[in-house]
Amino acid sequence: KQWYQRRVAITAGEDGNIMVIVDPESGELTQEFVFWINLISEILNVTQIAEKGQPGEQGMHGPAGENGPPGANGLDGANGVPGLDSASDGEDGVTGLIGDQGPAGEPGAKGETGAPGNDNEESAPASSNEKGEPGQKGLAGIRGQKGEPGIDGADGEQGPEGVCEPVEVVPRCNCDTHIVVRHSQTTSAPECPTGYISQWTGYSLVFFEGNGAGVEQDLGTTGSCLETFQVMPFMQCSSPDVCQQGLRTDKSFWLGVDAEADFTVKPMSSIDEIDNHISRCNVCVGTSEVLTRHSFSGSAPNCPNTYHELWTGYSFLMVSSNGPSGGSQDLASSGSCLENFFIPTFIECLGRGTCAYYITNLDYWLAQNPDITQPGMWGMGNVYSGIDDILDNGISRCTVCAKDIM
């Protein structure tokens, strides 16, 4: 601030090239002079004068301008030159072609009656002797009446003496065939029961879900034993020529094995790893009818008379997934009597190609009927903790039976 308020004198050098700032009182050089000299020297030392650059490339053409207004009408043209008068008429044209024949005329009027003929002229003989055409086939005649009984025949000769022997009993052939499907709940295919022959082995399918709708597979029928495992074995078709497999809403559910279910791990995507969590099955055929019996107790029931036991197990009722989807078992089917009790019972596979155990998947089993004498709804709120308590007091037992062969 003091520097600006200070009075200075500016004196030009003798050669006119140096501007000097002096103090008017003392005539000596001021600090401002020294500052300016240093500043100008610094600028000259670091500043380089650039050479002129090359011309830039030509810019792009601008957009076309708008159409101008229409111009004024032009002047009328001059009249044309009159045509020449013809000196003579033109020559005659060539004769035209012959036209098509016209339509037929109307019929003429009836002529007059002719004159009568002469009496001495002989008439032409009549052709009465010519053979006519064959007539149609006549109708069938009426069936005649039943004749009188014939005369009795003569008596036959007496046969030889008979031999008294016991009647031979021919065993009855049981030609019926019955199917029973057995699930091992392990990674090995089970054996068929005695008297049954294996048709094929496969993987235990519980049910499908597509777009929120579920379709269950009875574990006692052949549809629950697929010979090939696929994470998503079905596809969805929405038009006559377009189908899609593995949609986000598609799911498949398979009977599991005795594997530890960790609900916190990432879903499995390796087919080799998933294969170790899918139960195997065997489709068997025999001549004995099969039925299933449930005890509603902790003991397997006995088979009815004329039936024998194929296996005993636990009364499996149904499963449900996230939401209303799920599938049930026919309690008369062998599929409702699983030989092992595992929780969770099944594994879920998604359309994106992964499989896992989910906390939202639920298993349902028939329960035991405890002996309770007090009135009211028994079993309300009963909780069975631990596998031993569930097996001893909670879940019902069952038996799959086959008809005895006579």
Side-chain angles (χ1 to χ4, degrees):
K1 183 176 180 181
Q2 293 178 355
W3 182 80
Y4 283 102
Q5 294 176 349
R6 189 175 180 184
R7 298 176 62 187
V8 297
I10 301 175
T11 306
E14 293 179 357
D15 54 2
N17 295 326
I18 299 178
M19 182 178 62
V20 179
I21 302 174
V22 298
D23 191 340
E25 296 179 357
S26 62
E28 297 179 356
L29 297 176
T30 62
Q31 294 181 354
E32 291 82 352
F33 171 77
V34 176
F35 169 78
W36 283 108
I37 292 299
N38 293 334
L39 177 60
I40 293 171
S41 299
E42 183 67 21
I43 293 174
L44 293 177
N45 290 332
V46 300
T47 302
Q48 294 182 358
I49 299 176
E51 296 180 358
K52 184 178 180 180
Q54 297 294 330
E57 297 180 358
Q58 184 175 355
M60 299 175 61
H61 292 288
E66 298 180 355
N67 295 331
N73 295 331
L75 299 177
D76 296 335
N79 294 329
V81 179
L84 299 176
D85 295 333
S86 176
S88 61
D89 295 336
E91 297 179 358
D92 294 337
V94 181
T95 304
L97 300 176
I98 299 174
D100 297 333
Q101 183 177 356
E106 298 291 335
K110 183 178 180 180
E112 297 180 358
T113 304
N118 297 327
D119 294 337
N120 57 355
E121 292 181 359
E122 296 182 358
S123 303
S127 58
S128 58
N129 58 349
E130 294 181 0
K131 185 177 181 180
E133 297 293 334
Q136 296 181 355
K137 186 178 181 179
L139 300 176
I142 300 174
R143 184 176 181 180
Q145 297 181 356
K146 186 177 181 180
E148 298 292 334
I151 302 173
D152 294 339
D155 294 337
E157 298 179 358
Q158 185 175 359
E161 294 289 336
V163 179
C164 181
E165 293 180 351
V167 178
E168 182 181 2
V169 178
V170 179
R172 185 180 64 179
C173 173
N174 184 1
C175 300
D176 294 336
T177 57
H178 299 274
I179 297 293
V180 61
V181 181
R182 194 173 191 180
H183 302 272
S184 67
Q185 296 173 269
T186 68
T187 56
S188 299
E191 297 291 334
C192 285
T194 302
Y196 288 81
I197 301 173
S198 174
Q199 303 301 302
W200 72 79
T201 60
Y203 298 84
S204 305
L205 174 66
V206 180
F207 77 100
F208 291 130
E209 180 181 322
N211 200 23
V215 178
E216 71 271 9
Q217 297 295 323
D218 188 339
L219 294 176
T221 62
T222 58
S224 67
C225 190
L226 299 187
E227 297 180 66
T228 302
F229 173 74
Q230 298 183 61
V231 174
M232 195 50 54
F234 64 95
M235 63 182 180
Q236 179 187 114
C237 298
S238 56
S239 66
D241 57 355
V242 176
C243 296
Q244 294 176 283
Q245 183 181 15
L247 294 179
R248 181 179 59 84
T249 56
D250 294 342
K251 302 177 182 179
S252 64
F253 299 81
W254 306 80
L255 200 63
V257 300
D258 187 15
E260 182 178 357
D262 189 350
F263 301 106
T264 63
V265 299
K266 183 179 179 181
M268 295 174 287
S269 58
S270 169
I271 194 66
D272 294 332
E273 183 180 6
I274 296 172
D275 190 83
N276 293 326
H277 292 260
I278 309 299
S279 170
R280 303 304 196 271
C281 52
N282 200 339
V283 176
C284 311
V285 63
T287 58
S288 296
E289 179 187 8
V290 177
L291 61 81
T292 303
R293 193 174 188 183
H294 304 274
S295 68
F296 290 93
S297 69
S299 300
N302 296 324
C303 290
N305 292 334
T306 69
Y307 282 81
H308 61 277
E309 176 186 307
L310 295 182
W311 72 77
T312 62
Y314 302 88
S315 303
F316 183 50
L317 180 59
M318 70 178 199
V319 297
S320 68
S321 179
N322 186 20
S325 179
S328 61
Q329 298 297 315
D330 185 351
L331 293 178
S333 168
S334 61
S336 66
C337 189
L338 296 182
E339 297 179 66
N340 299 293
F341 177 76
F342 300 142
I343 299 178
T345 309
F346 63 99
I347 187 170
E348 176 179 339
C349 297
L350 305 178
R352 64 191 179 192
T354 62
C355 299
Y357 301 98
Y358 293 96
I359 195 68
T360 54
N361 294 340
L362 303 176
D363 310 320
Y364 293 83
W365 305 78
L366 288 186
Q368 297 182 22
N369 186 3
D371 184 13
I372 294 182
T373 57
Q374 62 184 7
M377 297 287 291
W378 61 265
M380 294 292 290
N382 284 351
V383 177
Y384 305 101
S385 299
I387 190 65
D388 293 335
D389 191 21
I390 295 173
L391 296 178
D392 295 340
N393 304 310
I395 189 169
S396 170
R397 300 298 197 276
C398 54
T399 303
V400 176
C401 308
K403 181 72 173 177
D404 296 336
I405 298 177
M406 300 300 293

